[in-house]
Amino acid sequence: MSGSDLILDRMMSLHPKVIDLTMDRVHRLLAKLGHPERRLPPVIHIAGTNGKGSTAAFCASMLQETGLRVGLFTSPHIFDFSERIRINGAMISEQAVVDFVNEHYALIVSIQPSFFEITFVMAMHHFASHNCTYAIIETGLGGRLDATNVVLPLLSIITNIGLDHQQFLGQSIAEIAGEKAGIIKKNIPVF
């Protein structure tokens, strides 16, 4: 078993057994890390039911082709955890994942964030530490109470809306759309 597999097992063992959609844990983690999300470059924040991962990849690719240094945060991963956190297409290194979790393990244990929250905070730290020019951030679950909703984007994108995560987001398209629309910020363009 590799070092990152052991770390992922540690992260998953801390994952709450019940999903609690609040922003408190992610705010506390980011505050203890000196608010890396506030040191990010312009952010494009993407929510939706289907197509948000592809849209995020397209945006990252277009910006990267202009010579910019682009951080991309997506989930879930397909083959390897490191797929979730990329800079100009290069996945976060196994050592960077191991170092982040080991360095902040006591904090993670004390706050008890979800696996997604740990991963998102790791991405914010990684992008801020590597001086990205842009960051493309895909929501995980919904939008309004998603851990990623702490970012102040340059623009927001909402892809198509369908019936997903109904136990958390609502029973109708309108309710789910309302949750996804939670990423919309005052005076920030939305597509």
Side-chain angles (χ1 to χ4, degrees), residues 168-181:
F168 302 110
L169 303 180
Q171 296 303 306
S172 69
I173 295 287
E175 289 174 316
I176 293 168
E179 289 297 319
K180 309 264 185 191

Side-chain angles (χ1 to χ4, degrees), residues 126-144:
H126 189 66
F127 298 160
S129 300
H130 287 81
N131 301 313
C132 288
T133 316
Y134 270 85
I136 313 300
I137 309 296
E138 176 191 356
T139 62
L141 179 74
R144 181 177 66 92

